[in-house]
Amino acid sequence: MSDSARIAALEGWEAVLGKEAVLADAPELQPYEANVSGLSRSIGAVLRPTTTVQVQQIVAVAREHRVPLYPISTGKNWGMGSRLPVENGNVVVDLSGMKRIRELNIEHAYAVVEPGVSQQQLHEEIRKSGAPLMLNVIGSSKDTSLIGNALDRGVGYFDKRVDTLSGIEVVLGNGKITTTGFGHYDQAATTHLYRFGIGPSLDGLFAQSNYGIVTAAGISLMHRPAVQATMIASITDAARLPDLVDALARLRRNGSVTTIVHIANQARSEISITPVIANNLVAQGMSRADARQEALKIFHGGGFGAWSAVTGLMGTDAQVRVARREIARELKGIAKLTILTADRLASLSRIAKRFSCFSAFRRRLALAQAIQPFFGLTQGIPTDAALDSVYWPLEDEAPASGNPDHGRSGLLYCLPYIPLSGTAAARTAQLCETIFGRYGFTPYTTLNVADVRSMEVVINLAFRRDDAQEAERAHACVQDLQDAYMREGWYPYRIGIQSMHQIMNPDDTFWQTVRDLKSVLDPDHIIAPGRYNLC
């Protein structure tokens, strides 16, 4: 992009958006270039539209001057690039100002939202309506974008989010606006009831792609069941992981468990729960150093084993009772089983408070309070509790903004997709421990039973991003681990901006087809060059 093209484009965008919505000075761009993964990219400018029409006008100016655009929703793609484009010089289109909930349909359990709508915003809207509905939440921040996460195939606590999208409204790179499914018909009444519409289904074209800018979509909601409970199953011996996974697979396949099962290693459980305990102790007047040590004692006395599985149980009272019996039968002799309900957790807290003069009860209370936000995830309640897991491994303080991009701690992910089998789970863990150990890092691992056939693996790596050598070692570690998994035939289902080259082969007919489609939908190649595409 030449300076003259950039200047001309900036003038065009200012005419469309107003000067206040066009950021081009270095101090304004710095927050967008900061990122928790320690990556470096230059940004040409930042544009902040608030309507679909403005997005269409932005694309028109970009096409005229051949200036590449990189759309983000709320920019919280932490560990995978945050707000950064794949290539240098892109102009970031920040859609966080597009935050209208266009429709909340209680009868048919869906909402139509714009890309700036967060899971907390929609959760609050549902709560205020009094509707017996709930949201498929993820464990990240309350303020993450529903559309952004779904389009990058994020997995929630109940289901894969991309499967819940319908009627996707998109400004294509060729400047046209279309809506998928029945949504392109003016009088369509079933756009968000039957997402395929008639003719070829185009929804899949806009997940992990660079063909256009999505400006709205329908999100399926869930009816809140009569009974909800949370299952926690722990094993003390890591060698029993295959047995645990195979038992959970049987439970998923026979319908006793119907939602995502999250299986975390002890290190992952520790960095999730212990910071919450410590923060509560600090709020009660304890010093940060003492709170950390006490929190570790409470966690390790709380019964968290080598691996702990968590899932929600939902249905009628009879259905949940049957599921609990079947779960107990399958896990007998394999794992320690705990079933939590909101009433039971509240009761445990009341008892612990009543006897809080005794240290054992104070610790039980601290643990119950720390578990509460994670228990809430299985009830469809968003939380920010997991954010402190970014800082805890390095004994770092959270930045004042609460945004990991602005702190010193580093975060990277490795995200392979594997078969649902105990053998595959054990091999995944063994490879990770070996390679992380070689580089001197701790693997924080979650194996998520996504459906009856497969598992999503989430491995995060904590590093000091203000230490150049450690940052380089961290990136090399993740790349080596990804290579090792791909040699097993287990490819990543999501990937960071720095690793796009690892998954794309220009001689592969699939990636050639992805590239060829771009020449039709984005003939000037202005939308997110290099993102899940050869161009």
Side-chain angles (χ1 to χ4, degrees):
M1 175 177 60
S2 67
D3 287 342
S4 59
R6 177 176 177 272
I7 292 169
L10 288 173
E11 291 175 352
W13 288 322
E14 287 180 357
V16 169
L17 303 174
K19 287 188 176 182
E20 69 285 351
V22 179
L23 312 182
D25 297 332
E28 296 174 314
L29 301 182
Q30 191 278 330
Y32 285 83
E33 294 175 344
N35 69 98
V36 73
S37 297
L39 299 168
S40 177
R41 297 288 190 278
S42 63
I43 293 173
V46 174
L47 311 177
R48 291 176 165 175
T50 57
T51 67
T52 298
V53 170
Q54 286 183 340
V55 173
Q56 188 177 33
Q57 292 169 328
I58 286 170
V59 170
V61 172
R63 293 188 71 201
E64 180 182 355
H65 300 288
R66 298 295 192 271
V67 178
L69 303 172
Y70 193 81
I72 62 172
S73 296
T74 58
K76 294 177 172 59
N77 198 22
W78 295 311
M80 309 189 74
S82 299
R83 301 174 174 186
L84 291 182
V86 177
E87 298 181 0
N88 287 318
N90 285 200
V91 169
V92 170
V93 182
D94 181 351
L95 303 170
S96 61
M98 296 183 66
K99 51 176 56 178
R100 286 190 304 144
I101 298 173
R102 296 185 182 180
E103 180 184 2
L104 175 59
N105 191 301
I106 294 170
E107 180 182 6
H108 298 296
Y110 70 82
V112 180
V113 301
E114 295 180 340
V117 175
S118 69
Q119 56 176 1
Q120 179 67 16
Q121 183 183 346
L122 183 53
H123 170 72
E124 288 294 335
E125 190 71 14
I126 294 169
R127 187 186 61 80
K128 285 190 293 185
S129 75
L133 299 175
M134 57 189 290
L135 180 65
N136 178 25
V137 297
I138 61 170
S140 185
S141 162
K142 294 177 181 179
D143 296 326
T144 52
S145 165
L146 292 163
I147 286 180
N149 179 260
L151 290 177
D152 209 27
R153 301 203 180 105
V155 175
Y157 261 70
F158 302 95
D159 204 351
K160 304 184 199 76
R161 273 186 160 180
V162 71
D163 294 338
T164 70
L165 294 181
S166 61
I168 300 173
E169 177 187 274
V170 56
V171 178
L172 299 171
N174 61 19
K176 298 178 182 179
I177 298 176
T178 192
T179 304
T180 64
F182 287 126
H184 57 94
Y185 293 111
D186 290 340
Q187 303 303 316
T190 54
T191 299
H192 306 293
L193 309 185
Y194 178 71
R195 67 190 181 98
F196 302 104
I198 188 169
S201 178
L202 301 184
D203 298 76
L205 287 176
F206 304 109
Q208 291 186 352
S209 74
N210 62 355
Y211 299 139
I213 300 176
V214 172
T215 51
I219 302 271
S220 296
L221 304 174
M222 298 176 294
H223 292 280
R224 188 171 292 281
V227 176
Q228 288 180 272
T230 299
M231 180 207 82
I232 304 173
S234 297
I235 56 172
T236 55
D237 182 1
R240 299 299 306 271
L241 176 62
D243 298 328
L244 175 63
V245 169
D246 287 338
L248 292 170
R250 290 190 293 271
L251 290 167
R252 188 69 200 259
R253 288 165 183 155
N254 71 21
S256 299
V257 172
T258 59
T259 64
I260 306 291
V261 186
H262 300 260
I263 313 168
N265 69 356
Q266 188 177 71
R268 180 61 188 149
S269 296
E270 179 186 311
I271 67 169
S272 297
I273 293 170
T274 314
V276 184
I277 299 174
N279 289 340
N280 290 340
L281 295 175
V282 169
Q284 295 168 23
M286 191 176 287
S287 72
R288 176 62 63 179
D290 288 345
R292 183 181 182 91
Q293 294 307 311
E294 180 65 12
L296 286 167
K297 288 180 186 176
I298 292 170
F299 173 81
H300 288 290
F304 291 90
W307 292 88
S308 297
V310 178
T311 192
L313 306 178
M314 304 189 300
T316 64
D317 182 62
Q319 287 171 330
V320 172
R321 276 192 280 109
V322 169
R324 289 177 62 166
R325 284 199 300 269
E326 186 66 17
I327 289 166
R329 187 185 67 80
E330 281 287 358
L331 294 180
K332 185 178 181 180
I334 297 174
K336 176 187 175 183
L337 180 63
T338 302
I339 303 293
L340 282 180
T341 63
D343 287 344
R344 184 179 180 194
L345 194 56
S347 176
L348 291 171
S349 295
R350 283 195 301 270
I351 293 169
K353 282 181 182 178
R354 187 179 305 164
F355 297 100
S356 60
C357 55
F358 299 101
S359 60
F361 282 95
R362 283 199 301 272
R363 288 176 175 175
R364 287 184 193 176
L365 177 61
L367 186 59
Q369 290 173 334
I371 289 173
Q372 183 64 56
F374 300 101
F375 171 79
L377 289 169
T378 67
Q379 313 290 296
I381 303 171
T383 179
D384 284 332
L387 282 181
D388 282 324
S389 66
V390 177
Y391 321 112
W392 184 264
L394 305 174
E395 300 186 33
D396 197 7
E397 294 288 332
S401 67
N403 186 329
D405 288 332
H406 304 149
R408 296 176 300 173
S409 297
L411 174 67
L412 290 169
Y413 283 110
C414 183
L415 304 166
Y417 217 85
I418 68 171
L420 176 53
S421 80
T423 301
R427 177 63 173 160
T428 299
Q430 181 261 317
L431 281 171
C432 182
E433 289 163 8
T434 299
I435 293 174
F436 268 51
R438 187 185 306 155
Y439 283 90
F441 293 107
T442 299
Y444 303 104
T445 305
T446 309
L447 308 169
N448 296 325
V449 179
D451 53 39
V452 298
R453 290 189 294 267
S454 61
M455 300 181 78
E456 168 216 34
V457 183
V458 179
I459 302 163
N460 56 307
L461 184 154
F463 69 99
R464 301 181 189 280
R465 78 172 190 263
D466 54 359
D467 181 329
Q469 290 184 331
E470 184 166 320
E472 183 179 357
R473 196 168 77 251
H475 281 267
C477 178
V478 167
Q479 183 153 328
D480 276 2
L481 184 58
Q482 286 179 167
D483 286 340
Y485 286 141
M486 288 192 288
R487 286 193 294 271
E488 298 285 328
W490 303 333
Y491 286 80
Y493 77 101
R494 293 173 71 182
I495 204 157
I497 62 168
Q498 77 279 10
S499 300
M500 294 290 167
H501 66 282
Q502 270 190 291
I503 59 164
M504 292 184 293
N505 179 354
D507 297 323
D508 184 336
T509 303
F510 173 86
W511 290 112
Q512 291 172 355
T513 303
V514 171
R515 178 195 60 202
D516 293 345
L517 284 168
K518 190 166 178 67
S519 67
V520 176
L521 301 175
D522 180 16
D524 302 308
H525 294 186
I526 62 162
I527 307 294
R531 181 170 176 79
Y532 295 106
N533 204 324
L534 294 168
C535 59

